Amino acid sequence: MNENKFAAAFKQNAIWLVFIIEIAIFAYFNPKFLGLANIVNISRQVSYYGIASIGMTFVILIAGIDLSIGSIIALVNVVCAYLMMNMGWNMWLAILISIAMAILIGVLNGWMVASIGIPAIIATFASQTIFRGCAYLLSGGLPIPGVVLEHPTFGFFARWSLNRWGIPGDFGLIPICAIIMVICFAVGSFILNKSYFGRYFYAIGGNEEASELSGIRVNKMKYLIYALSGFFAGLAGIVLLSRSGSAQSTAAIGFEFEVITCVVLGGVSVAGGIGRMSGVIAGVLIIGSLKSGMIMMNVSEYTQMVVQGLVLAVAVGIDCFSKKRQSN
């Protein structure tokens, strides 16, 4: 019995062991990897991945997929910057409108998947194409620069740290975007572990028909889940715009696959019904550290793409192999 408990605990926390080993390897080849400057840089880099991964976790838990989040981020970038820079709107109003738009896109995805019956991969791929095109049309294919220069307060989401308020020491170097990510993960964990919605997410992913028969309004839950995915993607878009200071319709191309890698690597099953938010946090940190470590080792961008693709293939392969063993 104790051996079974130990094996189960090891399996649940193995992802953190992988993270520790990865850190040790990169630190061995480059001691600066564990430097405070690099740690702060990684925390900024993973913030928008982490925020977007929360919504993707909900979607994959119900055996769905959301390929539109990269386009949502790009459109949020362009719309928010356009409202502030070209139309002179108040910063906070532009942010609220942009995030509301992201939620509506999520609702649209939910409608196509739940009410029309379009497979999630097709519905969200259509949204990806449509709204990437909308970003190009609104911006004319050109960047909208100077967002943070014209609106310095917009730097709050990604450029500010706690030391801006006079907090001394290393603690003051913690970026606000990392704090936003932690708060979002806390909210996501609460939804999954403490709310009845979270139990519904697992139930739908485990067996959608049984969930429907047990009284769960599956279609309404799908609307909610895709709306949440849109919300977190929109918030990630605001953080990314704050960090770059320039809105571009080409932003976040391929972003959805990196987020999916973080989520699946964190132990969320592509078949649905299995996964924990703590594992997703580890997945986000692994991918963020992997990208930073390869850059510090002067690994080419193309090689990085190969490595990330292999990580996704291995993560999904392990998940499928585990499912196959359980079924046997």
Side-chain angles (χ1 to χ4, degrees):
M1 180 67 72
N2 289 334
E3 290 183 0
N4 290 337
K5 287 182 177 179
F6 175 79
F10 178 80
K11 185 177 179 181
Q12 287 182 347
N13 296 288
I15 187 67
W16 288 101
L17 178 61
V18 172
F19 175 60
I20 293 171
I21 293 172
E22 179 192 53
I23 294 296
I25 291 172
F26 283 130
Y28 174 80
F29 285 104
N30 192 333
K32 292 182 179 180
F33 182 81
L34 290 178
L36 183 60
N38 189 52
I39 292 173
V40 171
N41 180 60
I42 291 174
S43 69
R44 292 186 191 277
Q45 180 180 331
V46 304
S47 59
Y48 45 94
Y49 287 99
I51 293 168
S53 72
I54 298 165
M56 185 66 81
T57 298
F58 296 156
V59 172
I60 295 180
L61 274 176
I62 64 166
I65 199 75
D66 189 352
L67 300 180
S68 67
I69 61 171
S71 295
I72 291 174
I73 288 172
L75 187 58
V76 163
N77 270 229
V78 171
V79 168
C80 189
Y82 187 88
L83 291 176
M84 289 191 294
M85 302 298 291
N86 294 15
M87 299 184 66
W89 283 32
N90 173 270
M91 183 191 82
W92 295 107
L93 182 58
I95 291 172
L96 289 175
I97 293 296
S98 301
I99 292 179
M101 178 194 64
I103 294 171
L104 287 175
I105 294 173
V107 171
L108 174 64
N109 287 335
W111 175 74
M112 288 192 290
V113 172
S115 297
I116 304 300
I118 302 174
I121 192 170
I122 302 299
T124 57
F125 179 70
S127 292
Q128 178 195 68
T129 307
I130 291 167
F131 294 109
R132 178 71 67 176
C134 290
Y136 280 114
L137 287 170
L138 184 59
S139 66
L142 300 174
I144 304 176
V147 175
V148 177
L149 290 176
E150 292 290 330
H151 301 269
T153 308
F154 199 84
F156 166 83
F157 295 97
R159 300 190 176 195
W160 291 14
S161 300
L162 289 181
N163 60 8
R164 194 176 182 93
W165 288 280
I167 296 176
D170 294 344
F171 185 77
L173 296 176
I174 297 176
I176 298 299
C177 56
I179 296 173
I180 294 173
M181 180 184 68
V182 170
I183 292 171
C184 288
F185 270 122
V187 171
S189 182
F190 176 84
I191 290 173
L192 286 184
N193 299 319
K194 301 297 182 180
S195 72
Y196 66 89
F197 288 125
R199 293 193 292 271
Y200 289 173
F201 296 171
Y202 285 108
I204 294 170
N207 192 319
E208 186 173 320
E209 291 184 5
S211 299
E212 189 77 56
L213 291 172
S214 67
I216 298 175
R217 297 181 178 181
V218 173
N219 285 350
K220 287 189 175 181
M221 286 295 103
K222 288 182 178 179
Y223 272 85
L224 172 64
I225 288 165
Y226 279 98
L228 285 171
S229 181
F231 166 76
F232 284 111
L235 184 56
I238 296 298
V239 172
L240 180 59
L241 178 59
S242 175
R243 187 182 184 199
S244 66
S246 174
Q248 300 190 39
S249 51
T250 56
I253 290 179
F255 182 86
E256 54 278 343
F257 296 108
E258 297 192 41
V259 173
I260 291 169
T261 302
C262 293
V263 174
V264 176
L265 185 62
V268 180
S269 173
V270 291
I274 298 174
R276 300 185 305 162
M277 197 60 71
S278 60
V280 176
I281 296 171
V284 169
L285 293 175
I286 286 173
I287 295 301
S289 300
L290 181 65
K291 289 167 71 71
S292 176
M294 288 192 294
I295 290 171
M296 294 184 73
M297 293 175 64
N298 295 318
V299 176
S300 73
E301 182 180 353
Y302 306 118
T303 304
Q304 292 180 42
M305 293 171 64
V306 172
V307 171
Q308 290 180 48
L310 288 172
V311 169
L312 177 58
V314 170
V316 174
I318 292 173
D319 175 53
C320 293
F321 180 74
S322 299
K323 283 285 184 181
K324 188 175 182 180
R325 286 191 62 184
Q326 289 175 7
S327 62
N328 292 334

